[in-house]
Amino acid sequence: MKTKSIHVFKMFCILCICLIAHTNAQNDETFKELQGIIIDENTKKPLVFTDIVLNETNISTVTNTDGEFLLKIPNALLNGVLSITHLGYEKLNLKISNFKNHSKIRLTPAITTLNEVSIIRYKDDARSLVLETLSRKSTIYNNNNTLMTAFYRETIKKRRKNASLSEAVFKIHKQPYNNQRNDNIELIKARKNTDYSKLDTLALKLQGGPFSNLYTDIIKYPEFIFTENDLPYYDFSFGQSTQINKSLVYVVNFKQKENTNTPMYFGKLYIDANTLALTSAVYSLNVSNKELSSRMYIRKKPRKVDVYPTNAMYRVNYRTRDGRWHYSYSNISLTFKVNWKGKLFNSVYSLNSEMAITDWEIKDTKIAKVRSQLIRPTTILSEKASGFSDPKFWGEYNIIEPEKSIENAIRKIQKQLKRT
């Protein structure tokens, strides 16, 4: 079995400190903001990670943990239609002209009439289905050089108190899925604020970065979870099928085999029955072995401290356009316990990061033209709190609507900036 610590270190870049500063001028306001909340028609509960896409374009966003969204539409496209989709629900098309800001939009749960009997070709062989899905990266995924606009947010909390908030807009130079070249990231603008009184020396270095989210693209980077050597150590089984946009979606459960000591992953894969494309994946790392799971994340630490993860959860979503699938959103949630020898109480830190593709275009130009503007996988966003004082900081760029706890953190930062 391959050593997974190398992969995870590359993925999360924990305990690295670098500085970067780069901003661009804000664009003129030539757009309209649409704000709303997506809920379940029956339960009235908010629907998290719902896709909102402007039809016939690549402009999009996702709902936050409160089911809220904000989407900026160029004035020239206000006659368009929003496509609202969520796994397990009926698709909803909504004309922008009929959209009322701050309204609740109800999605109807889809009735899945097809069950495991529908799985004919892969019946009782979920592993073969997964292998077939992983093998299709060259045929059903985007094989063009693509320039993606992405919004990134990262928060670090000490227990329930916000200690650090980073936000950025990036241009992702997405390489074709049918080659082995890694993607590149170009920073457009960013803002960050850290309350150092809530961080000790160790936690200050607990950083993720946008590459962490980019590497959750299982189809582009299968080596981070399903290596050829690791696959035999997983058990795969079918779960209850679901659907999206009236299309059947297979659900495959996976977990590491018993008596396997190396920490591996467990979760669910959602696979489109028509194309066998991965539509989304939700999974976690088995952290029951504290010592081994700690080695996977921690490259360097003081001798007087023990650090180990207590939770590590991941999500990645894909979208399709013109018959080709592409990475659209990912979320990472990590929780670490820090025990200092000689101290009575321990510290608990959580890191949450998410990245959403908000627009993209096919780009034939080579990466060399902007190579000097690219950031490295180990890059950490620099401290730049001034952006929080400007309510129009993001201009026409689409962002993920902040949840209530983040809104409160931003308001506190703004008050601190006013006082100084």
Side-chain angles (χ1 to χ4, degrees):
M1 195 188 315
K2 280 191 175 181
T3 303
K4 301 181 76 66
S5 58
I6 297 176
H7 296 321
V8 177
F9 167 68
K10 288 181 180 179
M11 183 175 181
F12 300 103
C13 307
I14 303 265
L15 304 184
C16 295
I17 295 183
C18 296
L19 296 178
I20 181 168
H22 178 73
T23 58
N24 280 357
Q26 182 173 300
N27 296 317
D28 294 331
E29 290 188 7
T30 56
F31 56 86
K32 179 179 180 180
E33 291 188 351
L34 307 181
Q35 286 182 289
I37 179 170
I38 310 297
I39 63 173
D40 181 296
E41 183 179 44
N42 298 329
T43 66
K44 305 301 186 282
K45 291 183 179 180
L47 295 178
V48 184
F49 309 131
T50 300
D51 275 329
I52 300 96
V53 181
L54 177 61
N55 281 353
E56 306 302 324
T57 76
N58 298 318
I59 299 173
S60 60
T61 190
V62 297
T63 57
N64 63 15
T65 56
D66 299 317
E68 300 168 337
F69 73 91
L70 182 150
L71 186 64
K72 297 172 184 177
I73 305 294
N75 291 338
L77 300 176
L78 292 180
N79 290 326
V81 176
L82 298 180
S83 175
I84 303 173
T85 57
H86 190 96
L87 187 66
Y89 288 80
E90 299 286 352
K91 178 181 178 180
L92 177 64
N93 287 319
L94 181 61
K95 291 183 178 180
I96 295 177
S97 58
N98 295 334
F99 183 88
K100 295 182 179 180
N101 256 340
H102 307 290
S103 61
K104 292 183 178 180
I105 301 170
R106 296 168 172 78
L107 293 190
T108 305
I111 300 176
T112 305
T113 57
L114 301 174
N115 53 34
E116 275 63 35
V117 176
S118 305
I119 305 175
I120 299 174
R121 183 178 177 185
Y122 298 96
K123 188 177 181 181
D124 301 324
D125 195 2
R127 178 185 298 273
S128 295
L129 175 59
V130 173
L131 291 174
E132 182 66 22
T133 295
L134 294 175
S135 72
R136 295 199 170 200
K137 64 189 302 180
S138 298
T139 58
I140 59 175
Y141 292 86
N142 192 350
N143 288 322
N144 294 298
N145 288 313
T146 308
L147 186 63
M148 293 180 156
T149 303
F151 177 75
Y152 174 81
R153 178 182 287 125
E154 175 186 296
T155 60
I156 298 178
K157 292 183 179 181
K158 183 176 184 180
R159 297 196 182 275
R160 295 184 178 181
K161 295 183 178 180
N162 284 293
S164 179
L165 172 60
S166 307
E167 296 180 327
V169 169
F170 296 104
K171 293 289 186 181
I172 300 175
H173 297 260
K174 193 72 173 165
Q175 297 293 324
Y177 277 86
N178 60 357
N179 69 35
Q180 301 297 318
R181 293 192 297 271
N182 288 342
D183 303 324
N184 293 280
I185 296 180
E186 173 189 358
L187 177 62
I188 302 302
K189 64 187 311 183
R191 62 186 189 182
K192 178 179 180 180
N193 182 265
T194 302
D195 185 348
Y196 293 98
S197 66
K198 294 186 175 68
L199 295 176
D200 54 35
T201 305
L202 181 69
L204 177 61
K205 300 178 182 179
L206 184 62
Q207 303 285 342
F211 279 94
S212 305
N213 288 75
L214 195 56
Y215 291 154
T216 63
D217 183 352
I218 295 175
I219 301 300
K220 180 67 176 176
Y221 303 99
E223 63 269 23
F224 291 126
I225 179 170
F226 291 134
T227 69
E228 185 175 346
N229 292 335
D230 289 339
L231 278 170
Y233 295 92
Y234 280 107
D235 283 326
F236 296 91
S237 62
F238 283 113
Q240 178 63 45
S241 300
T242 183
Q243 66 176 354
I244 188 170
N245 300 343
K246 298 186 183 300
S247 297
L248 178 68
V249 175
Y250 298 147
V251 178
V252 176
N253 303 311
F254 66 95
K255 63 180 180 179
Q256 69 186 76
K257 292 180 178 293
E258 295 183 6
N259 302 320
T260 303
N261 293 326
T262 300
M264 299 177 73
Y265 297 91
F266 62 94
K268 296 180 182 293
L269 305 175
Y270 297 87
I271 300 172
D272 180 74
N274 294 323
T275 63
L276 299 190
L278 183 67
T279 66
S280 63
V282 181
Y283 55 99
S284 300
L285 180 71
N286 178 4
V287 295
S288 57
N289 189 319
K290 293 181 180 180
E291 181 180 353
L292 292 180
S293 59
S294 176
R295 292 177 187 175
M296 293 175 64
Y297 290 97
I298 307 301
R299 181 184 65 166
K300 187 178 180 180
K301 67 179 182 65
R303 293 182 179 180
K304 295 183 179 181
V305 65
D306 291 324
V307 184
Y308 55 90
T310 58
N311 181 65
M313 299 176 60
Y314 314 94
R315 166 184 285 270
V316 59
N317 292 348
Y318 296 84
R319 291 196 193 109
T320 181
R321 174 82 192 274
D322 297 330
R324 292 285 177 171
W325 293 80
H326 63 86
Y327 163 82
S328 66
Y329 174 82
S330 61
N331 184 293
I332 299 173
S333 179
L334 307 174
T335 304
F336 289 86
K337 184 167 287 188
V338 181
N339 291 326
W340 289 91
K341 295 178 181 179
K343 289 188 177 182
L344 182 60
F345 301 104
N346 57 41
S347 300
V348 177
Y349 293 92
S350 60
L351 181 149
N352 185 275
S353 63
E354 59 182 337
M355 186 158 65
I357 303 303
T358 59
D359 202 355
W360 60 272
E361 60 180 323
I362 303 299
K363 207 73 173 176
D364 293 329
T365 55
K366 293 184 178 180
I367 197 72
K369 293 186 177 181
V370 294
R371 192 168 295 279
S372 61
Q373 303 172 37
L374 302 181
I375 64 175
R376 296 182 179 182
T378 54
T379 297
I380 302 302
L381 296 179
S382 65
E383 193 81 6
K384 190 174 182 63
S386 59
F388 288 98
S389 63
D390 182 4
K392 298 181 179 180
F393 179 77
W394 296 117
E396 64 181 4
Y397 289 112
N398 274 300
I399 68 171
I400 304 171
E401 183 76 339
E403 59 191 48
K404 290 180 175 58
S405 62
I406 295 177
E407 285 182 342
N408 291 335
I410 292 175
R411 282 195 289 268
K412 289 181 180 180
I413 294 172
Q414 291 171 337
K415 289 181 181 179
Q416 292 171 355
L417 292 175
K418 288 180 179 179
R419 288 198 296 268
T420 58

